[in-house]
Amino acid sequence: GQQLNQSPQSMFIQEGEDVSMNCTSSSIFNTWLWYKQDPGEGPVLLIALYKAGELTSNGRLTAQFGITRKDSFLNISASIPSDVGIYFCAGSSSNTGKLIFGQGTTLQVKP
Amino acid sequence: DAGVIQSPRHEVTEMGQEVTLRCKPISGHNSLFWYRQTMMRGLELLIYFNNNVPIDDSGMPEDRFSAKMPNASFSTLKIQPSEPRDSAVYFCASSPSGGSGNTIYFGEGSWLTVV
């Protein structure tokens, strides 16, 4: 079946540093999504990517849909304490909305 | 705008009891999903509906789990009988149709503990 490998598993960084995380797939996806989950809450959509090569920004967040359609990355610039949480990538290879989720990257930011 | 609404937010129940989780999707969304999240297995898709019809239930763990969507604004996930290994956070999510059909929006989850 389809698999998503997300890395790194966890990160502990200093406030102000930039962060990068990525996901790779064993098969081609036509949609990549990035979510953030705060403790006790559901995942919240950060960025959606629908086209190979697409680069999209949302404030300090930037994500790209890899041209091979098998990978995506998320960058966070100038991290702040409220960036703490678990970041998930998710991909879909169909138009039905069925998503496969990565294992998550736990981000901790030291003030 | 109201997001996906789930109830209960937290439930503690004894092994063997029936558990019913409820979900109201975002109005106008045609697809509804039930996910389970655990430390060991992460986010797992249990079942999803499109226009109230179950499309893929291959993620449902076993016959103790069942899900229904009697109308466009309501779905239930039932576990009967419940077991301690069912303890997890259960998320409902919904998605609109059309070009953004793959963008799904999650509720805040139902935190289930079976003792």
Side-chain angles (χ1 to χ4, degrees):
Chain A
Q2 293 174 321
Q3 291 185 336
L4 274 186
N5 292 314
Q6 184 172 350
S7 65
Q9 186 174 358
S10 63
M11 303 180 72
F12 189 88
I13 62 171
Q14 193 76 33
E15 182 178 1
E17 291 183 352
D18 297 343
V19 172
S20 183
M21 59 192 79
N22 68 83
C23 275
T24 58
S25 168
S26 58
S27 56
I28 290 174
F29 283 162
N30 59 22
T31 300
W32 281 97
L33 305 173
W34 285 91
Y35 288 85
K36 182 192 178 195
Q37 186 176 22
D38 291 327
E41 304 292 333
V44 175
L45 181 67
L46 297 174
I47 292 179
L49 303 161
Y50 300 108
K51 187 177 178 180
E54 180 180 358
L55 182 71
T56 297
S57 294
N58 178 8
R60 294 178 296 105
L61 277 60
T62 301
Q64 185 160 30
F65 192 143
I67 57 174
T68 66
R69 297 170 64 190
K70 290 186 176 182
D71 64 305
S72 177
F73 72 74
L74 174 70
N75 288 342
I76 305 173
S77 62
S79 59
I80 59 179
S82 62
D83 291 334
V84 165
I86 304 176
Y87 292 79
F88 290 97
C89 63
S92 173
S93 59
S94 70
N95 292 322
T96 61
K98 184 176 181 180
L99 291 174
I100 307 297
F101 278 83
Q103 304 95 322
T105 295
T106 300
L107 177 64
Q108 297 182 63
V109 179
K110 183 179 180 181
Chain B
D1 290 339
V4 176
I5 300 173
Q6 292 186 244
S7 64
R9 284 298 313 275
H10 298 88
E11 179 156 347
V12 180
T13 189
E14 291 185 344
M15 181 174 62
Q17 296 297 306
E18 177 179 295
V19 173
T20 299
L21 308 178
R22 297 172 178 80
C23 176
K24 176 178 168 50
I26 295 173
S27 177
H29 282 193
N30 292 344
S31 296
L32 182 141
F33 308 81
W34 283 101
Y35 281 86
R36 178 173 67 177
Q37 186 177 37
T38 62
M39 287 291 293
M40 292 296 295
R41 302 171 71 90
L43 274 164
E44 303 175 277
L45 178 64
L46 301 177
I47 184 172
Y48 77 92
F49 297 82
N50 193 40
N51 292 322
N52 311 340
V53 176
I55 302 300
D56 185 346
D57 64 354
S58 59
M60 294 287 262
E62 50 198 89
D63 291 345
R64 296 185 297 107
F65 285 69
S66 62
K68 294 182 179 180
M69 191 167 185
N71 57 63
S73 59
F74 184 67
S75 176
T76 60
L77 178 67
K78 187 173 294 187
I79 309 172
Q80 168 63 24
S82 58
E83 297 181 3
R85 60 193 170 116
D86 301 331
S87 298
V89 185
Y90 291 83
F91 287 104
C92 178
S94 69
S95 174
S97 59
S100 58
N102 289 326
T103 305
I104 70 172
Y105 299 86
F106 285 81
E108 294 189 320
S110 291
W111 301 68
L112 174 65
T113 302
V114 183
V115 298

PDB file of all heavy atoms in Angstrom, chain B residues 58-81:
ATOM      1  N   SER B  58     -12.270  -0.045   4.567  1.00  0.00           N
ATOM      2  CA  SER B  58     -11.192  -1.023   4.745  1.00  0.00           C
ATOM      3  C   SER B  58     -10.358  -0.752   5.994  1.00  0.00           C
ATOM      4  O   SER B  58      -9.652  -1.637   6.471  1.00  0.00           O
ATOM      5  CB  SER B  58     -10.289  -1.048   3.510  1.00  0.00           C
ATOM      6  OG  SER B  58      -9.718   0.229   3.284  1.00  0.00           O
ATOM      7  N   GLY B  59     -10.444   0.444   6.523  1.00  0.00           N
ATOM      8  CA  GLY B  59      -9.686   0.774   7.721  1.00  0.00           C
ATOM      9  C   GLY B  59     -10.394   0.449   9.019  1.00  0.00           C
ATOM     10  O   GLY B  59      -9.804   0.573  10.098  1.00  0.00           O
ATOM     11  N   MET B  60     -11.624   0.025   8.945  1.00  0.00           N
ATOM     12  CA  MET B  60     -12.364  -0.315  10.163  1.00  0.00           C
ATOM     13  C   MET B  60     -11.723  -1.556  10.776  1.00  0.00           C
ATOM     14  O   MET B  60     -11.608  -2.601  10.111  1.00  0.00           O
ATOM     15  CB  MET B  60     -13.832  -0.575   9.835  1.00  0.00           C
ATOM     16  CG  MET B  60     -14.556   0.663   9.336  1.00  0.00           C
ATOM     17  SD  MET B  60     -14.875   1.853  10.645  1.00  0.00           S
ATOM     18  CE  MET B  60     -16.568   1.434  11.037  1.00  0.00           C
ATOM     19  N   PRO B  61     -11.326  -1.487  12.040  1.00  0.00           N
ATOM     20  CA  PRO B  61     -10.520  -2.562  12.638  1.00  0.00           C
ATOM     21  C   PRO B  61     -11.201  -3.924  12.614  1.00  0.00           C
ATOM     22  O   PRO B  61     -10.564  -4.915  12.312  1.00  0.00           O
ATOM     23  CB  PRO B  61     -10.291  -2.073  14.064  1.00  0.00           C
ATOM     24  CG  PRO B  61     -10.539  -0.606  14.033  1.00  0.00           C
ATOM     25  CD  PRO B  61     -11.547  -0.369  12.978  1.00  0.00           C
ATOM     26  N   GLU B  62     -12.439  -3.993  12.956  1.00  0.00           N
ATOM     27  CA  GLU B  62     -13.127  -5.273  13.038  1.00  0.00           C
ATOM     28  C   GLU B  62     -14.628  -5.016  13.163  1.00  0.00           C
ATOM     29  O   GLU B  62     -15.085  -3.881  13.146  1.00  0.00           O
ATOM     30  CB  GLU B  62     -12.589  -6.064  14.232  1.00  0.00           C
ATOM     31  CG  GLU B  62     -12.547  -5.284  15.534  1.00  0.00           C
ATOM     32  CD  GLU B  62     -11.624  -5.924  16.561  1.00  0.00           C
ATOM     33  OE1 GLU B  62     -10.423  -5.589  16.574  1.00  0.00           O
ATOM     34  OE2 GLU B  62     -12.103  -6.753  17.352  1.00  0.00           O
ATOM     35  N   ASP B  63     -15.361  -6.121  13.273  1.00  0.00           N
ATOM     36  CA  ASP B  63     -16.820  -6.014  13.266  1.00  0.00           C
ATOM     37  C   ASP B  63     -17.373  -5.241  14.456  1.00  0.00           C
ATOM     38  O   ASP B  63     -18.544  -4.859  14.441  1.00  0.00           O
ATOM     39  CB  ASP B  63     -17.445  -7.413  13.226  1.00  0.00           C
ATOM     40  CG  ASP B  63     -17.190  -8.095  11.897  1.00  0.00           C
ATOM     41  OD1 ASP B  63     -16.804  -7.396  10.948  1.00  0.00           O
ATOM     42  OD2 ASP B  63     -17.372  -9.325  11.820  1.00  0.00           O
ATOM     43  N   ARG B  64     -16.576  -5.021  15.451  1.00  0.00           N
ATOM     44  CA  ARG B  64     -17.075  -4.276  16.612  1.00  0.00           C
ATOM     45  C   ARG B  64     -17.295  -2.803  16.253  1.00  0.00           C
ATOM     46  O   ARG B  64     -17.982  -2.089  16.968  1.00  0.00           O
ATOM     47  CB  ARG B  64     -16.092  -4.375  17.772  1.00  0.00           C
ATOM     48  CG  ARG B  64     -15.889  -5.783  18.314  1.00  0.00           C
ATOM     49  CD  ARG B  64     -14.996  -5.790  19.537  1.00  0.00           C
ATOM     50  NE  ARG B  64     -13.643  -5.316  19.235  1.00  0.00           N
ATOM     51  CZ  ARG B  64     -13.174  -4.137  19.618  1.00  0.00           C
ATOM     52  NH1 ARG B  64     -13.930  -3.304  20.315  1.00  0.00           N
ATOM     53  NH2 ARG B  64     -11.938  -3.785  19.310  1.00  0.00           N
ATOM     54  N   PHE B  65     -16.691  -2.378  15.165  1.00  0.00           N
ATOM     55  CA  PHE B  65     -16.799  -0.990  14.729  1.00  0.00           C
ATOM     56  C   PHE B  65     -17.826  -0.880  13.610  1.00  0.00           C
ATOM     57  O   PHE B  65     -17.825  -1.679  12.672  1.00  0.00           O
ATOM     58  CB  PHE B  65     -15.452  -0.477  14.213  1.00  0.00           C
ATOM     59  CG  PHE B  65     -14.444  -0.186  15.281  1.00  0.00           C
ATOM     60  CD1 PHE B  65     -13.865  -1.201  16.029  1.00  0.00           C
ATOM     61  CD2 PHE B  65     -14.051   1.120  15.535  1.00  0.00           C
ATOM     62  CE1 PHE B  65     -12.930  -0.924  17.013  1.00  0.00           C
ATOM     63  CE2 PHE B  65     -13.111   1.405  16.513  1.00  0.00           C
ATOM     64  CZ  PHE B  65     -12.554   0.377  17.246  1.00  0.00           C
ATOM     65  N   SER B  66     -18.684   0.146  13.712  1.00  0.00           N
ATOM     66  CA  SER B  66     -19.626   0.412  12.632  1.00  0.00           C
ATOM     67  C   SER B  66     -19.838   1.914  12.528  1.00  0.00           C
ATOM     68  O   SER B  66     -19.731   2.632  13.518  1.00  0.00           O
ATOM     69  CB  SER B  66     -20.961  -0.300  12.880  1.00  0.00           C
ATOM     70  OG  SER B  66     -21.570   0.182  14.064  1.00  0.00           O
ATOM     71  N   ALA B  67     -20.118   2.376  11.324  1.00  0.00           N
ATOM     72  CA  ALA B  67     -20.352   3.799  11.103  1.00  0.00           C
ATOM     73  C   ALA B  67     -21.547   3.987  10.201  1.00  0.00           C
ATOM     74  O   ALA B  67     -21.785   3.172   9.298  1.00  0.00           O
ATOM     75  CB  ALA B  67     -19.122   4.468  10.485  1.00  0.00           C
ATOM     76  N   LYS B  68     -22.288   5.044  10.480  1.00  0.00           N
ATOM     77  CA  LYS B  68     -23.459   5.357   9.675  1.00  0.00           C
ATOM     78  C   LYS B  68     -23.483   6.842   9.357  1.00  0.00           C
ATOM     79  O   LYS B  68     -22.931   7.665  10.099  1.00  0.00           O
ATOM     80  CB  LYS B  68     -24.748   4.980  10.424  1.00  0.00           C
ATOM     81  CG  LYS B  68     -24.922   3.496  10.651  1.00  0.00           C
ATOM     82  CD  LYS B  68     -26.240   3.204  11.360  1.00  0.00           C
ATOM     83  CE  LYS B  68     -26.426   1.710  11.574  1.00  0.00           C
ATOM     84  NZ  LYS B  68     -27.706   1.405  12.272  1.00  0.00           N
ATOM     85  N   MET B  69     -24.141   7.166   8.259  1.00  0.00           N
ATOM     86  CA  MET B  69     -24.352   8.567   7.912  1.00  0.00           C
ATOM     87  C   MET B  69     -25.768   8.678   7.366  1.00  0.00           C
ATOM     88  O   MET B  69     -25.987   8.584   6.146  1.00  0.00           O
ATOM     89  CB  MET B  69     -23.331   9.060   6.901  1.00  0.00           C
ATOM     90  CG  MET B  69     -23.357  10.552   6.732  1.00  0.00           C
ATOM     91  SD  MET B  69     -21.915  11.169   5.839  1.00  0.00           S
ATOM     92  CE  MET B  69     -22.202  12.940   5.975  1.00  0.00           C
ATOM     93  N   PRO B  70     -26.746   8.827   8.232  1.00  0.00           N
ATOM     94  CA  PRO B  70     -28.147   8.823   7.797  1.00  0.00           C
ATOM     95  C   PRO B  70     -28.542  10.040   6.968  1.00  0.00           C
ATOM     96  O   PRO B  70     -29.498   9.958   6.192  1.00  0.00           O
ATOM     97  CB  PRO B  70     -28.920   8.786   9.120  1.00  0.00           C
ATOM     98  CG  PRO B  70     -27.969   9.343  10.133  1.00  0.00           C
ATOM     99  CD  PRO B  70     -26.605   8.939   9.677  1.00  0.00           C
ATOM    100  N   ASN B  71     -27.802  11.135   7.129  1.00  0.00           N
ATOM    101  CA  ASN B  71     -28.081  12.313   6.303  1.00  0.00           C
ATOM    102  C   ASN B  71     -26.797  13.145   6.175  1.00  0.00           C
ATOM    103  O   ASN B  71     -25.781  12.818   6.788  1.00  0.00           O
ATOM    104  CB  ASN B  71     -29.224  13.141   6.894  1.00  0.00           C
ATOM    105  CG  ASN B  71     -28.955  13.582   8.305  1.00  0.00           C
ATOM    106  OD1 ASN B  71     -28.014  14.331   8.559  1.00  0.00           O
ATOM    107  ND2 ASN B  71     -29.778  13.121   9.245  1.00  0.00           N
ATOM    108  N   ALA B  72     -26.885  14.199   5.404  1.00  0.00           N
ATOM    109  CA  ALA B  72     -25.688  14.983   5.067  1.00  0.00           C
ATOM    110  C   ALA B  72     -25.105  15.742   6.241  1.00  0.00           C
ATOM    111  O   ALA B  72     -23.993  16.273   6.149  1.00  0.00           O
ATOM    112  CB  ALA B  72     -26.025  15.951   3.934  1.00  0.00           C
ATOM    113  N   SER B  73     -25.833  15.821   7.340  1.00  0.00           N
ATOM    114  CA  SER B  73     -25.366  16.641   8.447  1.00  0.00           C
ATOM    115  C   SER B  73     -25.085  15.839   9.713  1.00  0.00           C
ATOM    116  O   SER B  73     -24.893  16.418  10.794  1.00  0.00           O
ATOM    117  CB  SER B  73     -26.392  17.729   8.764  1.00  0.00           C
ATOM    118  OG  SER B  73     -27.630  17.155   9.105  1.00  0.00           O
ATOM    119  N   PHE B  74     -25.013  14.509   9.596  1.00  0.00           N
ATOM    120  CA  PHE B  74     -24.826  13.728  10.815  1.00  0.00           C
ATOM    121  C   PHE B  74     -24.214  12.369  10.510  1.00  0.00           C
ATOM    122  O   PHE B  74     -24.616  11.682   9.563  1.00  0.00           O
ATOM    123  CB  PHE B  74     -26.175  13.549  11.527  1.00  0.00           C
ATOM    124  CG  PHE B  74     -26.094  12.832  12.839  1.00  0.00           C
ATOM    125  CD1 PHE B  74     -25.451  13.401  13.924  1.00  0.00           C
ATOM    126  CD2 PHE B  74     -26.668  11.568  12.991  1.00  0.00           C
ATOM    127  CE1 PHE B  74     -25.368  12.734  15.145  1.00  0.00           C
ATOM    128  CE2 PHE B  74     -26.602  10.898  14.215  1.00  0.00           C
ATOM    129  CZ  PHE B  74     -25.948  11.476  15.285  1.00  0.00           C
ATOM    130  N   SER B  75     -23.257  11.981  11.350  1.00  0.00           N
ATOM    131  CA  SER B  75     -22.660  10.651  11.233  1.00  0.00           C
ATOM    132  C   SER B  75     -22.343  10.129  12.630  1.00  0.00           C
ATOM    133  O   SER B  75     -22.104  10.903  13.556  1.00  0.00           O
ATOM    134  CB  SER B  75     -21.375  10.696  10.402  1.00  0.00           C
ATOM    135  OG  SER B  75     -20.750   9.430  10.355  1.00  0.00           O
ATOM    136  N   THR B  76     -22.362   8.814  12.764  1.00  0.00           N
ATOM    137  CA  THR B  76     -21.978   8.183  14.025  1.00  0.00           C
ATOM    138  C   THR B  76     -20.939   7.106  13.786  1.00  0.00           C
ATOM    139  O   THR B  76     -20.914   6.457  12.734  1.00  0.00           O
ATOM    140  CB  THR B  76     -23.183   7.533  14.728  1.00  0.00           C
ATOM    141  OG1 THR B  76     -23.750   6.537  13.867  1.00  0.00           O
ATOM    142  CG2 THR B  76     -24.234   8.561  15.093  1.00  0.00           C
ATOM    143  N   LEU B  77     -20.082   6.933  14.757  1.00  0.00           N
ATOM    144  CA  LEU B  77     -19.143   5.817  14.807  1.00  0.00           C
ATOM    145  C   LEU B  77     -19.418   5.072  16.100  1.00  0.00           C
ATOM    146  O   LEU B  77     -19.371   5.657  17.181  1.00  0.00           O
ATOM    147  CB  LEU B  77     -17.695   6.314  14.780  1.00  0.00           C
ATOM    148  CG  LEU B  77     -16.605   5.245  14.886  1.00  0.00           C
ATOM    149  CD1 LEU B  77     -16.580   4.356  13.646  1.00  0.00           C
ATOM    150  CD2 LEU B  77     -15.228   5.883  15.087  1.00  0.00           C
ATOM    151  N   LYS B  78     -19.727   3.785  15.969  1.00  0.00           N
ATOM    152  CA  LYS B  78     -20.119   3.001  17.131  1.00  0.00           C
ATOM    153  C   LYS B  78     -19.130   1.873  17.362  1.00  0.00           C
ATOM    154  O   LYS B  78     -18.667   1.226  16.409  1.00  0.00           O
ATOM    155  CB  LYS B  78     -21.537   2.456  16.926  1.00  0.00           C
ATOM    156  CG  LYS B  78     -22.135   1.768  18.129  1.00  0.00           C
ATOM    157  CD  LYS B  78     -23.602   1.418  17.877  1.00  0.00           C
ATOM    158  CE  LYS B  78     -24.464   2.656  17.727  1.00  0.00           C
ATOM    159  NZ  LYS B  78     -25.917   2.330  17.647  1.00  0.00           N
ATOM    160  N   ILE B  79     -18.820   1.651  18.604  1.00  0.00           N
ATOM    161  CA  ILE B  79     -17.966   0.528  19.000  1.00  0.00           C
ATOM    162  C   ILE B  79     -18.752  -0.319  19.996  1.00  0.00           C
ATOM    163  O   ILE B  79     -19.175   0.168  21.038  1.00  0.00           O
ATOM    164  CB  ILE B  79     -16.651   1.007  19.661  1.00  0.00           C
ATOM    165  CG1 ILE B  79     -15.950   2.058  18.792  1.00  0.00           C
ATOM    166  CG2 ILE B  79     -15.714  -0.184  19.893  1.00  0.00           C
ATOM    167  CD1 ILE B  79     -14.749   2.711  19.467  1.00  0.00           C
ATOM    168  N   GLN B  80     -18.960  -1.581  19.651  1.00  0.00           N
ATOM    169  CA  GLN B  80     -19.749  -2.463  20.501  1.00  0.00           C
ATOM    170  C   GLN B  80     -19.304  -3.912  20.318  1.00  0.00           C
ATOM    171  O   GLN B  80     -19.453  -4.447  19.219  1.00  0.00           O
ATOM    172  CB  GLN B  80     -21.234  -2.337  20.185  1.00  0.00           C
ATOM    173  CG  GLN B  80     -22.141  -3.395  20.781  1.00  0.00           C
ATOM    174  CD  GLN B  80     -22.152  -3.395  22.295  1.00  0.00           C
ATOM    175  OE1 GLN B  80     -21.852  -2.383  22.925  1.00  0.00           O
ATOM    176  NE2 GLN B  80     -22.497  -4.540  22.878  1.00  0.00           N
ATOM    177  N   PRO B  81     -18.768  -4.554  21.366  1.00  0.00           N
ATOM    178  CA  PRO B  81     -18.416  -3.998  22.659  1.00  0.00           C
ATOM    179  C   PRO B  81     -17.045  -3.338  22.637  1.00  0.00           C
ATOM    180  O   PRO B  81     -16.179  -3.722  21.858  1.00  0.00           O
ATOM    181  CB  PRO B  81     -18.380  -5.251  23.542  1.00  0.00           C
ATOM    182  CG  PRO B  81     -17.919  -6.324  22.609  1.00  0.00           C
ATOM    183  CD  PRO B  81     -18.507  -5.994  21.265  1.00  0.00           C
TER     184      PRO B  81
END
